[in-house]
Amino acid sequence: MSLFQLLNGLTFAALLFVVASGFTLIFGLLRIVNLAHGALYLFGGYIGYTVAIRTGSFVLGGVGAMASIAAIGLVLDQGLLRFVRGNELRQVLLSLGAAFFLNDLALVIWGGDSFTVPIPQMLRGGMKVFGTFYPTYRLFVLVSGVVVFAALWLLLNYTRLGALIRAGVDDAEMVEASGVNIQRIFLITFLLGSALAGLGGLIGGAFLSLYPSADAEILVFSLAVVIIGGRGSLVGVGVGSLLVGLLNTLGQVMFPELAYFVIFGPMAVLLAFRPLGLFGRAT
Amino acid sequence: MTTPFSPNPSRLAGMTGRAAIVACLVVVVAACLPLLLSNYQVGLATEVLIFGILAMSVDILAGFAGRTSLGHGAIFGVSTYVVVYCTAQIALPPAVAFTLGVLAATAIASVFALLAVRTSGVYFLLLTLALGMIIWGICLRWTQVTGGENGMRGDVRPAMLLSHSAFYWAVLAGAAVVSFLMWRFVRSPFGLTLRGIRDSESRMRSLGYNVPLHLFIGFTVSGFFAAIAGALYAMFNNFVSPSTVALAQSVEGVLMMIVGGVGTLFGAFVGAAAIIALENVVSAYTERWQMVLGITFVLIMIFAPEGIIGKLRAILSRKVR
């Protein structure tokens, strides 16, 4: 694998990290497998695209995507998932229904054409990395992945909210019993996770482009990341994203038509030995 | 959820006399439908039967082993793909193509099963979903073989089954046999073991049952039935595209199963009829079927997770009391 392909794999892994970290936060703390996460990604991308086109600002696009997806997350959580609390299976299937709805709604609003979020002027073109010419924007994606990882790491390990989230992942009832309003922590986590999906949509929309089935594709990758990494673990998502990102790139180079299949191998091996993922813990 | 299992000495192939009569009556009434309905409606009825088989195969796992699969649409679709491919690209006779399709999809199901038996609950759902999506991704991208997004047109139906009613009768016969087999399967000692696993995995394990092996076989058998539905669908539609293996297919199967009632087995046909009828009514007014499907799913999850039939039964019994 050449450096170019390695970088491709790493940048894809960075995007996966942004999307899947939101997924695993929600999964780990609320025990909700939010299958609408892919649809939130796509919506975030479309909204970010629209805002970025209207205002001409990539940053505003990002803010708009995150804010509006957090708002959709709020409706999803408080308006729908609230009614099926405590029943994992019903939650999953409900979120799946929501995913279908959102996907079709996106098709109504933005149509079936594919869009690419405009890249800001300063990130266009390329630069030399260890003697290889590489698109600047994709390096930016790599950096954003690392920044999001660092920010989440700091949030989870050095703030009160983070401590509560970690405690909630381990035992939500105990946290509640010690006088913390866990429902509020749940809600904040859900909004944060959704916002990350929106951010991922904007970032990904600028180099993978946005089209009606992009949500399903990113969802499969996120699922693979979480299945490999284990739920609720930030390090797990990081390692899972790297594995899936690199393997996917390797697969695309070696078997372009069967690239999907290549992420299936490690998932299978892993499940045989660690059904809960590399960093997952039984509860 | 469980139907009481009462031993009865006077049985016909394990069926009580009354159940056998009811089953025969249902089949006879169903067989008379083409005499009353238009060609289009007979087509819809055929579709109901095919998707009823798919939903029943999902119910074997969901209702009797406690594991909801979101990968059965993919197994169904693999069978469809293989049948269409074999007849259209390498010109095999329909019967051979049918067999190959069922075998191939059953093989895929056993691979799914090998991986999935290690998981339960939400992880099972996630894994089957991911596996199904991988199949979908391959069907979409492997353009040389699958025709990519354009799909493939086949020449699947044998000449004697070309008319709507003839094909309907053939599918009805198939569905009757398959339903009987599934019914026998879930009532067999093996099926009872699956129910035991559903209710308490640890207890079954400590009783000495090989839980993973039972789940593996259960999943493969369930996949086999989904494969039959898929092969029938190939004959019905004469066309296959990635949407046949898409998540929506699995979701429709699960939805039909839930609407008909989890663990009722034959309720699957009622669920299939309800969903297909809804799809047709909706499609007459709007192209937004997927949106309606999503909303239906959300509403059923909130208001009637035990299925429409279960809900009606609950409402009725409340009224009676």
Side-chain angles (χ1 to χ4, degrees):
Chain A
M1 197 155 53
S2 70
L3 180 66
F4 189 80
Q5 285 149 3
L6 181 72
L7 281 171
N8 270 350
L10 287 176
T11 47
F12 186 55
L15 172 68
L16 281 183
F17 177 80
V18 174
V19 180
S21 59
F23 187 75
T24 203
L25 266 181
I26 296 173
F27 187 17
L29 181 64
L30 285 77
R31 301 281 185 271
I32 294 175
V33 181
N34 183 14
L35 291 182
H37 206 71
L40 293 181
Y41 162 91
L42 185 63
F43 245 81
Y46 278 137
I47 293 175
Y49 165 82
T50 311
V51 175
I53 290 281
R54 292 273 164 82
T55 63
S57 160
F58 189 73
V59 176
L60 277 183
V63 173
M66 288 178 76
S68 48
I69 297 309
I72 296 178
L74 180 70
V75 173
L76 188 62
D77 187 56
Q78 293 298 301
L80 299 175
L81 287 168
R82 193 157 63 92
F83 297 106
V84 291
R85 281 269 186 271
N87 186 326
E88 288 189 337
L89 215 57
R90 281 169 73 185
Q91 285 172 343
V92 182
L93 295 175
L94 190 150
S95 73
L96 190 59
F100 273 75
F101 175 78
L102 287 174
N103 177 277
D104 212 32
L105 188 63
L107 193 62
V108 174
I109 301 176
W110 287 280
D113 299 333
S114 82
F115 294 106
T116 307
V117 177
I119 297 172
Q121 195 64 49
M122 58 180 284
L123 294 176
R124 282 183 202 165
M127 55 164 73
K128 274 231 186 289
V129 187
F130 301 115
T132 307
F133 202 66
Y134 199 73
T136 314
Y137 179 75
R138 294 195 68 139
L139 292 172
F140 164 76
V141 173
L142 189 55
V143 173
S144 349
V146 175
V147 168
V148 169
F149 180 83
L152 285 176
W153 176 264
L154 290 175
L155 172 76
L156 286 176
N157 289 306
Y158 294 98
T159 64
R160 184 181 144 76
L161 175 66
L164 289 174
I165 292 178
R166 277 183 297 133
V169 169
D170 284 341
D171 193 337
E173 276 184 0
M174 271 314 285
V175 178
E176 188 164 31
S178 54
V180 174
N181 184 353
I182 191 82
Q183 294 305 328
R184 220 177 64 206
I185 309 288
F186 278 178
L187 183 60
I188 293 171
T189 310
F190 199 91
L191 298 189
L192 178 66
S194 305
L196 283 170
L199 180 66
L202 178 85
I203 293 178
F207 75 105
L208 295 178
S209 81
L210 302 158
Y211 45 90
S213 63
D215 61 335
E217 287 173 13
I218 208 81
L219 183 66
V220 187
F221 283 119
S222 303
L223 284 177
V225 167
V226 174
I227 290 174
I228 290 175
R231 79 170 160 204
S233 156
L234 197 61
V235 179
V237 187
V239 174
S241 306
L242 279 177
L243 263 175
V244 172
L246 290 175
L247 278 170
N248 181 57
T249 310
L250 187 71
Q252 274 176 348
V253 176
M254 290 170 61
F255 329 94
E257 292 186 316
L258 301 175
Y260 250 54
F261 209 69
V262 180
I263 56 167
F264 170 87
M267 231 167 74
V269 175
L270 198 86
L271 276 168
F273 298 102
R274 285 194 67 101
L276 292 174
L278 282 178
F279 296 88
R281 276 169 301 175
T283 42
Chain B
M1 211 136 96
T2 38
T3 41
F5 182 72
S6 53
N8 189 327
S10 64
R11 279 160 174 273
L12 188 70
M15 237 189 277
T16 58
R18 209 155 113 218
I21 292 170
V22 171
C24 288
L25 271 178
V26 169
V27 173
V28 168
V29 169
C32 293
L33 283 180
L35 308 175
L36 305 168
L37 302 177
S38 70
N39 270 347
Y40 175 70
Q41 288 163 326
V42 171
L44 285 184
T46 316
E47 211 175 334
V48 167
L49 290 175
I50 292 172
F51 281 95
I53 298 176
L54 173 67
M56 274 204 288
S57 75
V58 178
D59 199 18
I60 288 186
L61 280 180
F64 298 91
R67 278 152 174 79
T68 310
S69 161
L70 282 175
H72 269 55
I75 299 169
F76 174 96
V78 165
S79 176
T80 314
Y81 259 104
V82 172
V83 173
V84 171
Y85 182 82
C86 284
T87 51
Q89 309 288 326
I90 42 184
L92 289 175
V96 179
F98 192 94
T99 317
L100 281 178
V102 172
L103 284 179
T106 311
I108 295 279
S110 67
V111 175
F112 279 24
L114 263 181
L115 298 172
V117 294
R118 308 233 358 146
T119 58
S120 62
V122 174
Y123 278 93
F124 182 88
L125 204 89
L126 285 189
L127 184 69
T128 47
L129 173 76
L131 292 174
M133 298 271 247
I134 288 166
I135 298 282
W136 167 75
I138 291 173
C139 289
L140 188 66
R141 298 275 164 75
W142 199 11
T143 321
Q144 290 168 340
V145 174
T146 63
E149 214 153 333
N150 297 326
M152 269 186 296
R153 187 152 290 288
D155 179 22
V156 188
R157 237 188 266 183
M160 58 180 288
L161 296 178
L162 276 181
S163 87
H164 285 270
S165 346
F167 185 64
Y168 171 80
W169 281 317
V171 172
L172 179 65
V177 172
V178 166
S179 309
F180 177 71
L181 289 178
M182 282 198 234
W183 183 78
R184 284 294 298 160
F185 178 75
V186 298
R187 301 201 117 199
S188 67
F190 186 92
L192 291 176
T193 313
L194 280 186
R195 281 192 226 182
I197 293 171
R198 176 194 68 197
D199 294 338
S200 173
E201 213 176 306
S202 54
R203 187 175 299 171
M204 292 309 277
R205 202 176 300 125
S206 53
L207 283 172
Y209 287 96
N210 186 342
V211 170
L213 182 67
H214 275 82
L215 287 174
F216 172 77
I217 297 176
F219 195 115
T220 309
V221 169
S222 154
F224 167 74
F225 289 122
I228 291 182
L232 287 173
Y233 188 68
M235 293 199 163
F236 172 71
N237 216 14
N238 262 326
F239 174 71
V240 66
S241 70
S243 67
T244 311
V245 287
L247 178 59
Q249 194 81 292
S250 301
V251 171
E252 278 191 33
V254 170
L255 187 60
M256 288 166 182
M257 183 271 294
I258 292 176
V259 168
V262 182
T264 58
L265 207 60
F266 302 130
F269 288 110
V270 180
I275 298 297
I276 288 173
L278 180 68
E279 181 171 2
N280 269 276
V281 172
V282 170
S283 304
Y285 297 101
T286 162
E287 282 177 19
R288 302 268 71 85
W289 163 239
Q290 217 199 1
M291 205 182 270
V292 177
L293 181 67
I295 295 172
T296 315
F297 217 115
V298 168
L299 291 179
I300 286 183
M301 279 305 129
I302 292 179
F303 297 109
E306 69 274 42
I308 301 289
I309 293 181
K311 187 79 187 173
L312 287 178
R313 205 183 281 159
I315 291 173
L316 284 178
S317 66
R318 208 179 306 151
K319 286 234 172 89
V320 171
R321 234 180 282 146

